[in-house]
């Protein structure tokens, strides 16, 4: 399989990948793994809610760090599904370079990196079944027939990548969320919170990670 558009990367301090398309780093310049745990895991009340068949969906796969953080907190019983939507996939080599900053995540990444290097976008890592949908999320999410119990909304900054935070796409996120499902995101931008409210979520602003004062969480009643 050949991906049509591969992520273009610059490296900050030799270890932090920065998208040249969006002029934005892939993870926190502090501790990206701890930020993932604070925003996406705790923000969706995970791992407490995880169970066999639970479905996590994500906008913005990036380095796969969020997926690996999820794999680190779930080893069964049963299998959790993880579907991510990514327009500009990174190469396996770039992902491996980035994950070297997080030894705990890197230690679990070999099955993922091996599959990714072979062009596989459906694979399993531990008790997580992964499906990465390549292409513009405005198309791929609309065509998806799944329902998520929790969303990781992890696109680049709304100021840098407004397409991934548009009204129509947020409405699709709402449409593809099970009743009682949740989302979490690092951004507290008012227009994003309003779009998610319009998409059917009860949205709250909560303390962010590190120097970031606020983030957003929501639940679909």
């Amino acid at each position: 399989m050949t991906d049509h558009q591969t992520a273009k990367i610059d490296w900050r301090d030799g270890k932090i990948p920065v998208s040249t398309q969006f002029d934005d780093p892939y993870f926190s310049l502090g501790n990206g793994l701890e930020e993932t745990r604070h925003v996406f895991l705790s923000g969706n009340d995970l791992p407490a809610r995880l169970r066999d068949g639970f479905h996590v969906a994500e906008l913005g796969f990036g380095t796969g760090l969020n997926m690996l953080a999820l794999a680190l907190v779930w080893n069964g019983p049963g299998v959790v599904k993880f579907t991510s939507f990514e327009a500009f996939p990174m190469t396996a080599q770039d992902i491996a370079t980035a994950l070297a900053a997080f030894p705990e995540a890197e230690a679990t990444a070999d099955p993922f990196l091996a599959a990714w290097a072979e062009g596989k976008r459906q694979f399993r890592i531990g008790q997580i079944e992964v499906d990465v949908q390549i292409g513009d999320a405005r198309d791929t999410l609309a065509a998806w027939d799944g329902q998520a119990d929790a969303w990781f909304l992890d696109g680049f900054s709304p100021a840098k990548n407004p397409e991934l935070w548009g009204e129509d796409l947020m409405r699709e996120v709402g449409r593809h969320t099970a009743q009682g499902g949740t989302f979490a995101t690092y951004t507290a931008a008012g227009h994003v919170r309003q779009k998610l409210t319009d998409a059917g979520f009860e949205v709250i602003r909560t303390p962010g990670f590190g120097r970031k004062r606020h983030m957003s969480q929501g639940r679909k009643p």
Side-chain angles (χ1 to χ4, degrees):
M1 172 182 171
T2 300
D3 295 318
H4 297 295
Q5 297 175 296
T6 300
K8 297 177 176 62
I9 304 295
D10 280 340
W11 294 91
R12 188 173 299 172
D13 300 330
K15 62 182 181 180
I16 296 171
V18 178
S19 166
T20 60
Q21 280 117 322
F22 300 105
D23 186 30
D24 214 20
Y26 276 84
F27 43 71
S28 166
L29 304 185
N31 188 324
L33 183 56
E34 288 307 313
E35 180 177 45
T36 284
R37 287 168 168 156
H38 176 88
V39 175
F40 298 114
L41 297 187
S42 295
N44 282 290
D45 193 23
L46 306 179
R49 294 169 59 212
L50 295 177
R51 52 176 166 72
D52 184 41
F54 192 90
H55 203 147
V56 176
E58 173 185 60
L59 292 183
F61 183 72
T63 63
L65 185 62
N66 298 340
M67 172 198 70
L68 294 171
L70 182 68
L72 285 168
V73 299
W74 178 254
N75 55 10
V79 174
V80 165
K81 296 179 180 180
F82 184 88
T83 302
S84 187
F85 299 86
E86 174 61 61
F88 302 101
M90 294 174 70
T91 66
Q93 183 56 58
D94 280 344
I95 290 173
T97 300
L99 291 178
F102 309 109
E104 190 178 357
E106 184 185 31
T108 70
D110 283 351
F112 156 44
L113 291 171
W116 202 257
E118 294 174 5
K120 295 177 181 175
R121 301 298 179 252
Q122 294 179 313
F123 52 90
R124 183 159 165 162
I125 179 161
Q127 294 299 102
I128 310 289
E129 285 185 356
V130 181
D131 178 12
V132 183
Q133 301 264 332
I134 304 297
D136 189 320
R138 290 172 292 184
D139 300 322
T140 53
L141 178 53
W144 187 49
D145 62 1
Q147 289 277 293
D149 298 295
W151 276 95
F152 299 170
L153 301 182
D154 196 22
F156 291 113
S157 159
K160 304 285 183 68
N161 185 22
E163 292 82 5
L164 213 56
W165 304 94
E167 182 180 352
D168 290 346
L169 189 54
M170 294 301 96
R171 190 180 300 117
E172 289 294 337
V173 168
R175 190 168 74 85
H176 289 89
T177 303
Q179 187 174 5
T182 61
F183 79 83
T185 180
Y186 62 86
T187 184
H191 68 95
V192 172
R193 286 187 286 120
Q194 184 60 54
K195 289 167 187 170
L196 285 160
T197 299
D198 293 343
F201 290 98
E202 296 172 340
V203 179
I204 58 173
R205 191 174 69 170
T206 55
F209 176 79
R211 291 181 295 177
K212 214 166 164 28
R213 289 180 61 195
H214 299 116
M215 56 175 273
S216 302
Q217 297 170 242
R219 179 180 178 275
K220 184 177 178 180

